[in-house]
Amino acid sequence: MPRRKRTGDILADLTDSQREAVCYGEGPLLVVAGAGTGKTRVIIRRIASLLDRGVPPDRVVAMTFTNKAADEMRRRVEALVGKDVYVSTFHSFCARLLRTEIAHIGRDPSFTICDRADSVRIIRRIVKDRELDPATFAPRDILAYVAVRKDRIRSPQDCAEQAIGIVERTFADVYGRYEEALAANNALDFDDLLLKTLEVFRRRPEVLQEYQNAYLHVLVDEYQDTNLPQHLIARALQGKHRNITAVGDPDQMIYSWRGARLENLMEFEEDFPGAHVVTLERNYRSSANILRAASACIQRNVFRREKTLLTEREAGERIVAGEFADSFAEGRWVAEKVNELMDGGLRPADIAVFYRTKQQSLPLEDAFAALALPHQVVDSIGFFERREIKDVRAYLQLLVNPRDNQSCLRIINTPRRGIGARTVAKLQAEAQRRKQCLIEVVRDGAELDWLGPRAKNAVTSFWQLYERLSSLKRATVAELIRKLLDATDYVGRQPAEERADAQEIVDLFVGYARQYDRNSPGGGLIGFLQQAVLVSDVDGWNARADAVPFMTLHSAKGLEFDAVFLVGLEEDILPHRRALEEQIQGSEDAALEEERRLFYVGMTRARHRLFITCAHKRVVRGREETVAPSRFLDELPQECLVRDEESVASAGSAQDFARDMDRVLKRKRASLRILDDEGDGELACGVRVSHPGYGDGEIVEVSMLGKRRIVRINFDAHGVMSFLLAGDDAAPA
DNA sequence: TAAACCGTTGTTTTT
DNA sequence: CAACGGTTTA
């Protein structure tokens, strides 16, 4: 049993302001905490302090931005006072609440949570059914429209009433049909998790009261990035005891495109009268040089409340700026610098590389592979969106929620079992006619005389498969997935070139399920699916792995490293072109300022060393394009910077490098085809392969980089080249 | 029915 | 460049 710490430990190493926030008693509390001022520490110590003062652990609830942050917070509180508190994201909290309460608003608790791709598919279907022009009514645009309305709690009826012109009226109409489709499938999208929770609270005050009674204290981290529904949920929960603690930093608001409202933080004192405000301005993280540059950058923003970060740290090393001919040269330079830092004693996990967009990871991966440097692309969402995983999830989802036609459609002929598009269309029409769900029609397949004998056979055997899997629902999730893969011969029926890849992916998923079974006994299949859809990118990052993490600036929020590389400081990338086009609240400045905050978040993650780079050429849409250095570079105080003189020299050799290390082979469609098929589909020395770009060749060397393989191939026409076979560092640990 | 082929299109960040 | 949708062909 962990040793119970005394109050002294909880308050150890805190400054006066931090202590003020930690020890504050009853009533609303706002902690405005600049970057690196010990924000997370304050919230953790405050929870510990509350428990130490006798608040029962089950009467505290804390909200974080990601599941990883939630786990971390729970763990650290536990380490401090030996008690377990409920820490969650808003979305997970709402999903859990709705599993027990959604019946109050006439919905079924076995609902499916659909991700963005599912939502797009539903909208695409509606656009098609209504025979709308897909250019004017692009499903993605409509979904964006819907998301914005939901963030502002606007119903389809509201939107229809306020719509101006035929186009907007049509958007509102599709929104309405989208809601109907979700209801028919017994599905909720991400926003619905928040909205339906609010609806339960509104329509059933007695239910809200139960929660208000239960929670004596509500704490919310990253308040600057909460949207209106989240703000209202937090406000509702603290309604009785009025003990809300909100922690945030306006300068780090980077999710306005997802409805984040700075007003939640800025107008906190009006929303929660009598709120006490504590401001933390002393930075303990970054060297003076880094902090000075970051402050100079953020001070360019006009829409902000003046706040100065102080440090007592020494100046430290200057920020190193590098400029390169192209992103390959940039990547190689980063890899070389990382190598030097590691020689100097830094561990890979003390270093991080940040970029604006995920696709920027590719040249970096190549460069790190070339130097055999351990790295990990932080992208778990990518893993869960892989076709194989989505297929398996659809099977499981259909077992939990038979009304999930979306999932049913996905797997009814996956793998191919002879239920073609025509048959599916007939089944759908029948379902519509009978006002039943698809799987019910499948169940009655044997009696449908308008089905041909072959189709009927296929439909019946699909129903038998479904029943067989249904009977296994009580097994562990890992076991269920294994049986499902077995029963469908899922991997064996993949195209030969993709089989090995598919096997690897599903094995990883089984491993992930096994871990879930171990960690969440009693969580059930529903809990598993919920966890798998509500993942964030950083959730899959194994911070204890000895690898340099690559991640987006958005994912980097809340983290810190000894050394940080910020790559791709180019116009149209950072600030991103699309972002500037968005024009938040009709103002291009607001959008630019958000991009600047993103840059600021990136810089302030660094403790000692900061490297900022840009390239003159970048591969966009498969074409090499010339790009200009970011305007943000000019905004940095020159005295904090030192230009790397090697960067100019190494620029010329980029092409050699690109030639030597072709590119990461994408997993989706392996571009290496094995020619002699006496082997068992393995890439080994001596095996002849074919590459779409370089023709035929022979494998001369296979080596490992972590879990990933590097294959050197001697092409008949082009000589020796190396390939990094995409592995699965994206898989959650 | 399913594989193979062709043309279009999109192009940020993510719970 | 790749992902997707639609068409053609076996």
Side-chain angles (χ1 to χ4, degrees):
Chain A
M1 184 167 161
R3 190 171 67 93
R4 204 194 133 121
K5 301 283 174 71
R6 293 214 313 270
T7 314
D9 296 318
I10 295 170
L11 300 180
D13 332 310
L14 293 180
T15 63
D16 290 348
S17 331
Q18 289 176 339
R19 185 173 310 208
E20 186 188 345
V22 168
C23 297
Y24 184 73
E26 307 264 299
L29 170 69
L30 173 65
V31 182
V32 181
T37 57
K39 171 173 72 78
T40 312
R41 181 184 232 195
V42 162
I43 203 164
I44 287 165
R45 299 287 187 100
R46 178 160 169 80
I47 296 172
S49 165
L50 291 171
L51 300 181
D52 193 62
R53 281 180 248 166
V55 176
D58 59 351
R59 303 200 64 186
V60 174
V61 63
M63 306 292 186
T64 57
F65 208 70
T66 64
N67 300 294
K68 183 169 192 75
D71 289 344
E72 176 80 2
M73 191 171 286
R74 194 182 308 116
R75 202 182 54 72
R76 284 173 65 180
V77 170
E78 216 274 337
L80 219 47
V81 288
K83 290 174 184 167
D84 228 11
V85 288
Y86 184 22
V87 189
S88 169
T89 64
F90 271 102
H91 291 269
S92 298
F93 174 88
C94 291
R96 186 167 123 166
L97 181 147
L98 291 172
R99 293 292 177 199
T100 58
E101 314 291 355
I102 201 168
H104 288 300
I105 56 171
R107 294 279 298 258
D108 184 314
S110 58
F111 58 84
T112 296
I113 301 169
C114 53
D115 61 21
R116 202 171 150 282
D118 299 328
S119 296
V120 171
R121 209 163 302 140
I122 292 170
I123 291 180
R124 187 173 296 143
R125 174 93 243 159
I126 297 167
V127 168
K128 221 171 140 182
D129 284 351
R130 287 211 45 194
E131 298 180 324
L132 298 170
D133 166 32
T136 319
F137 302 100
R140 285 178 62 117
D141 291 352
I142 299 179
L143 185 62
Y145 166 93
V146 170
V148 167
R149 312 302 129 154
K150 287 194 172 187
D151 283 341
R152 296 180 193 158
I153 320 187
R154 288 266 140 69
S155 69
Q157 293 74 31
D158 287 349
C159 296
E161 279 165 25
Q162 290 171 14
I164 300 162
I166 181 72
V167 173
E168 204 181 327
R169 268 206 304 281
T170 309
F171 269 61
D173 179 65
V174 176
Y175 174 16
R177 286 163 195 261
Y178 168 68
E179 291 292 282
E180 284 165 18
L182 286 175
N185 286 278
N186 187 23
L188 302 183
D189 65 17
F190 288 135
D191 294 321
D192 284 342
L193 294 173
L194 308 172
L195 296 181
K196 299 299 177 198
T197 298
L198 284 170
E199 200 179 324
V200 169
F201 287 169
R202 201 172 55 241
R203 295 210 343 221
R204 296 290 171 142
E206 73 278 10
V207 175
L208 171 59
Q209 266 178 32
E210 281 173 36
Y211 285 88
Q212 288 180 332
N213 289 335
Y215 295 124
L216 277 175
H217 284 270
V218 178
L219 301 96
V220 185
D221 198 6
E222 309 281 10
Y223 212 76
Q224 76 283 350
D225 279 318
T226 53
N227 63 15
L228 180 60
Q230 289 169 330
H231 174 65
L232 294 177
I233 288 166
R235 207 173 65 174
L237 288 175
Q238 61 84 55
K240 180 172 182 194
H241 302 286
R242 301 194 66 246
N243 293 323
I244 181 170
T245 302
V247 184
D249 175 9
D251 289 333
Q252 295 185 65
M253 199 277 279
I254 54 177
Y255 283 96
S256 69
W257 50 275
R258 225 173 66 186
R261 282 170 92 237
L262 217 42
E263 301 96 294
N264 294 350
L265 193 82
M266 303 303 251
E267 294 164 10
F268 189 85
E269 290 153 272
E270 283 116 83
D271 273 308
F272 303 95
H276 185 62
V277 180
V278 176
T279 309
L280 306 180
E281 292 190 312
R282 197 160 296 267
N283 176 296
Y284 294 93
R285 179 184 298 155
S286 307
S287 68
N289 257 330
I290 293 171
L291 198 63
R292 190 143 125 240
S295 300
C297 150
I298 203 67
Q299 268 161 21
R300 302 252 174 178
N301 279 3
V302 177
F303 302 115
R304 74 184 281 268
R305 194 193 270 181
E306 184 60 32
K307 170 163 58 67
T308 316
L309 285 182
L310 308 168
T311 182
E312 280 153 20
R313 280 183 184 271
E314 54 202 33
E317 302 261 359
R318 288 188 181 196
I319 298 167
V320 182
E323 201 171 324
F324 303 90
D326 57 34
S327 51
F328 296 99
E330 179 188 48
R332 193 175 62 164
W333 182 82
V334 170
E336 280 165 0
K337 286 292 164 205
V338 165
N339 215 0
E340 282 173 27
L341 290 171
M342 283 167 58
D343 285 344
L346 276 192
R347 293 174 347 169
D350 298 328
I351 307 166
V353 183
F354 303 148
Y355 36 74
R356 176 69 231 264
T357 68
K358 282 184 177 176
Q359 56 182 17
Q360 290 171 261
S361 72
L362 264 98
L364 292 159
E365 289 180 68
D366 288 350
F368 274 60
L371 296 189
L373 295 173
H375 61 284
Q376 185 184 11
V377 182
V378 176
D379 178 20
S380 19
I381 292 177
F383 173 74
F384 285 97
E385 282 180 353
R386 290 205 39 121
R387 187 175 47 78
E388 298 87 344
I389 305 298
K390 293 216 78 174
D391 288 343
V392 173
R393 276 169 57 197
Y395 272 99
L396 302 177
Q397 199 67 78
L398 189 63
L399 293 177
V400 168
N401 173 18
R403 281 164 60 199
D404 188 342
N405 294 336
Q406 206 64 25
S407 293
C408 189
L409 283 172
R410 183 179 186 99
I411 54 148
I412 194 166
N413 200 31
T414 310
R416 304 259 138 82
R417 52 174 68 90
I419 307 179
R422 269 194 77 76
T423 308
V424 170
K426 279 194 222 163
L427 293 171
Q428 272 185 292
E430 178 68 9
Q432 198 125 58
R433 202 178 57 75
R434 298 198 201 173
K435 302 212 185 318
Q436 282 184 335
C437 57
L438 202 50
I439 196 73
E440 286 176 298
V441 178
V442 168
R443 179 194 57 203
D444 303 337
E447 297 147 29
L448 304 172
D449 28 321
W450 38 264
L451 278 181
R454 242 173 54 195
K456 189 180 277 188
N457 218 356
V459 170
T460 329
S461 72
F462 175 58
W463 171 250
Q464 281 162 359
L465 170 70
Y466 179 79
E467 275 200 304
R468 184 140 55 101
L469 295 175
S470 263
S471 69
L472 296 169
K473 262 198 287 197
R474 307 198 64 88
T476 62
V477 179
E479 206 176 319
L480 177 55
I481 295 175
R482 245 199 320 260
K483 295 233 166 92
L484 179 168
L485 291 167
D486 243 28
T488 54
D489 188 22
Y490 184 85
V491 174
R493 309 185 96 221
Q494 297 296 314
E497 327 86 73
E498 294 170 30
R499 207 166 291 155
D501 246 13
Q503 183 69 57
E504 222 174 320
I505 299 294
V506 299
D507 284 348
L508 278 164
F509 196 51
V510 170
Y512 177 76
R514 198 175 297 126
Q515 201 182 2
Y516 170 84
D517 288 328
R518 229 189 351 260
N519 295 343
S520 321
L525 194 48
I526 288 187
F528 175 76
L529 290 166
Q530 187 165 300
Q531 182 181 311
V533 72
L534 293 178
V535 281
S536 63
D537 276 337
V538 283
D539 293 347
W541 172 43
N542 180 4
R544 298 181 358 168
D546 226 6
V548 176
F550 294 178
M551 64 182 90
T552 64
L553 286 163
H554 284 87
S555 292
K557 190 177 65 164
L559 305 175
E560 60 177 271
F561 300 89
D562 285 330
V564 165
F565 290 82
L566 247 74
V567 305
L569 259 284
E570 294 135 32
E571 283 295 302
D572 294 352
I573 299 283
L574 186 66
H576 199 278
R577 197 166 108 244
R578 290 285 292 191
L580 298 188
E581 283 167 1
E582 292 262 305
Q583 294 204 355
I584 303 162
Q585 292 157 5
S587 155
E588 191 180 301
D589 287 347
L592 178 64
E593 294 202 351
E594 178 148 330
E595 295 293 295
R596 194 180 276 118
R597 285 194 294 271
L598 213 38
F599 182 40
Y600 174 75
V601 165
M603 283 197 280
T604 53
R605 301 306 96 198
R607 286 192 281 255
H608 306 300
R609 303 298 309 273
L610 179 59
F611 302 82
I612 303 179
T613 63
C614 68
H616 293 299
K617 279 182 180 158
R618 184 163 292 282
V619 179
V620 189
R621 232 182 312 162
R623 198 167 277 278
E624 193 166 66
E625 286 183 7
T626 305
V627 285
S630 167
R631 66 189 86 179
F632 294 156
L633 290 173
D634 301 329
E635 298 175 2
L636 296 173
Q638 292 306 303
E639 66 273 19
C640 302
L641 289 181
V642 57
R643 187 173 275 273
D644 186 273
E645 60 295 336
E646 276 175 60
S647 65
V648 182
S650 59
S653 52
Q655 273 161 345
D656 299 341
F657 172 74
R659 182 149 39 84
D660 183 48
M661 179 61 69
D662 179 42
R663 63 191 184 89
V664 174
L665 292 184
K666 300 297 272 183
R667 281 172 274 206
K668 299 247 160 95
R669 205 165 304 172
S671 22
L672 279 184
R673 198 159 49 83
I674 295 173
L675 291 175
D676 41 7
D677 49 4
E678 65 219 43
D680 43 4
E682 276 300 304
L683 293 173
C685 274
V687 172
R688 282 194 67 76
V689 293
S690 173
H691 182 277
Y694 300 113
D696 299 352
E698 185 180 320
I699 297 179
V700 291
E701 189 190 330
V702 179
S703 52
M704 298 298 292
L705 174 67
K707 282 182 175 172
R708 305 170 64 164
R709 281 175 298 178
I710 298 176
V711 186
R712 282 181 76 75
I713 299 164
N714 188 6
F715 286 105
D716 304 341
H718 296 86
V720 177
M721 283 187 232
S722 303
F723 293 87
L724 173 67
L725 297 184
D728 292 288
D729 41 25

